[in-house]
Amino acid sequence: MIRAVIFDLDGVIVSTDEFHYQGWQRLADEEGIYFDRKTNERLRGVSRLESLEIILEKADRNYSREEKAEMAERKNNYYRDLLHTLTPDDVFPGVMEMLKELKEKGIKIAIGSSSKNTPSILQKIGMESSFDAVSDGNQIKRSKPDPEVFLLAASKLQIPPGQCLVVEDADAGVEAAINAGMKCLAVGSASANPKAHLRANNLNEITVEQILNT
Ligand code: B16
Ligand code: MG
């Protein structure tokens, strides 16, 4: 029986994934490093510095730790500039309806995101008080596919991992949910992931009953 649903943020609740892509593309262009949308798929759910390491696989020289820190910060500044345009209208279709129905049924809801920008994103989309718990990149040491962010969410909710379901758009996040001993609904970019227990293009295609009976 599912008693809690833990939502990934970027790519599940809101379309900030496109802003991450634009920020990294700008940085890569400035540095003369090849980067495209296919490589960008590997960055989903992965921390900022680990994302940079993936981009640097295509670089023709080594970068010092200081240079990497500066590049990660530069990308984050580009990303945060783009976040200024974010409003409640950017919440994906089906999200608000699903949260409302889960709450009405007494199911706990949480955020489980690798992003250190989670608090400001939730504030911009008017959802800072919408969840029973928020677990994010500021509170963890190891990012997805490590289960830490989801286990922290479950412990804040005081629900055993086996009674939690994670909604994810990243293959690394599906892996993290399974590593946490949780069920997983894969959406968007992860919707073909065979390891997920449920799959859909978006939340409009899934009913709360399907989630609770997983
Ligand atoms: P930040 P999620 C993840 O968010 C993104 O998918 C990933 O692309 C990003 O690198 C990561 O957050 C860290 O984000 O630079 O804002 O700390 O999908 O786990 O909600
Ligand atoms: Mg995501």
Side-chain angles (χ1 to χ4, degrees), residues 8-10 20 43 45-46 48 51 113-117 144:
D8 171 56
L9 180 62
D10 163 73
H20 278 296
L43 312 185
V46 175
R48 200 178 305 160
S51 298
S113 169
S114 303
S115 176
K116 294 186 170 169
N117 289 296
K144 302 164 187 176

Side-chain angles (χ1 to χ4, degrees), residues 156-207:
K156 287 186 181 201
L157 295 173
Q158 299 187 298
I159 304 278
Q163 296 181 333
C164 295
L165 178 138
V166 168
V167 186
E168 257 296 347
D169 73 312
D171 290 332
V174 173
E175 204 76 44
I178 287 161
N179 289 339
M182 298 177 181
K183 296 281 174 24
C184 187
L185 159 60
V187 296
S189 286
S191 61
N193 191 315
K195 293 182 186 162
H197 303 85
L198 274 176
R199 282 171 286 276
N201 289 313
N202 58 59
L203 290 181
N204 270 336
E205 290 180 2
I206 287 283
T207 64

Side-chain angles (χ1 to χ4, degrees), residues 5-7 9 109-120 122-123 127-140 149-150 152-157:
V5 180
I6 304 170
F7 292 85
L9 180 62
I109 53 175
I111 286 288
S113 169
S114 303
S115 176
K116 294 186 170 169
N117 289 296
T118 294
S120 58
L122 288 177
Q123 194 249 326
M127 294 182 79
E128 65 269 58
S129 310
S130 299
F131 295 90
D132 298 303
V134 174
S135 168
D136 69 32
N138 299 296
Q139 305 161 31
I140 55 165
V149 75
F150 295 139
L152 177 64
S155 108
K156 287 186 181 201
L157 295 173

Side-chain angles (χ1 to χ4, degrees), residues 7-214:
F7 292 85
D8 171 56
L9 180 62
D10 163 73
V12 168
I13 299 287
V14 71
S15 55
T16 39
D17 47 342
E18 177 62 23
F19 296 162
H20 278 296
Y21 163 70
Q22 289 177 21
W24 285 124
Q25 184 70 67
R26 184 169 168 191
L27 178 90
D29 289 348
E30 286 169 353
E31 295 296 322
I33 300 168
Y34 181 77
F35 179 65
D36 59 14
R37 285 188 181 270
K38 186 160 177 270
T39 309
N40 184 60
E41 286 301 310
R42 291 174 58 203
L43 312 185
R44 287 184 185 273
V46 175
S47 74
R48 200 178 305 160
L49 277 176
E50 286 168 295
S51 298
L52 179 62
E53 292 293 350
I54 291 171
I55 288 168
L56 293 181
E57 288 172 9
K58 290 264 176 15
D60 51 16
R61 71 169 177 94
N62 291 323
Y63 287 79
S64 68
R65 195 192 300 192
E66 291 73 24
E67 284 175 307
K68 288 179 188 175
E70 182 280 321
M71 289 160 80
E73 191 186 340
R74 202 183 335 152
K75 179 268 173 180
N76 193 46
N77 288 336
Y78 296 153
Y79 175 67
R80 290 184 66 87
D81 279 349
L82 294 166
L83 285 183
H84 281 131
T85 64
L86 206 61
T87 73
D89 290 342
D90 295 303
V91 173
F92 279 125
V95 169
M96 299 314 273
E97 295 82 354
M98 179 165 284
L99 295 184
K100 184 168 176 278
E101 204 177 330
L102 287 168
K103 276 186 183 173
E104 282 167 4
K105 290 197 156 55
I107 307 298
K108 296 281 183 203
I109 53 175
I111 286 288
S113 169
S114 303
S115 176
K116 294 186 170 169
N117 289 296
T118 294
S120 58
I121 294 170
L122 288 177
Q123 194 249 326
K124 284 190 168 65
I125 59 176
M127 294 182 79
E128 65 269 58
S129 310
S130 299
F131 295 90
D132 298 303
V134 174
S135 168
D136 69 32
N138 299 296
Q139 305 161 31
I140 55 165
K141 290 199 176 65
R142 299 171 300 277
S143 91
K144 302 164 187 176
D146 190 282
E148 186 180 3
V149 75
F150 295 139
L151 291 174
L152 177 64
S155 108
K156 287 186 181 201
L157 295 173
Q158 299 187 298
I159 304 278
Q163 296 181 333
C164 295
L165 178 138
V166 168
V167 186
E168 257 296 347
D169 73 312
D171 290 332
V174 173
E175 204 76 44
I178 287 161
N179 289 339
M182 298 177 181
K183 296 281 174 24
C184 187
L185 159 60
V187 296
S189 286
S191 61
N193 191 315
K195 293 182 186 162
H197 303 85
L198 274 176
R199 282 171 286 276
N201 289 313
N202 58 59
L203 290 181
N204 270 336
E205 290 180 2
I206 287 283
T207 64
V208 165
E209 280 65 37
Q210 280 175 286
I211 286 181
L212 300 187
N213 294 324
T214 305

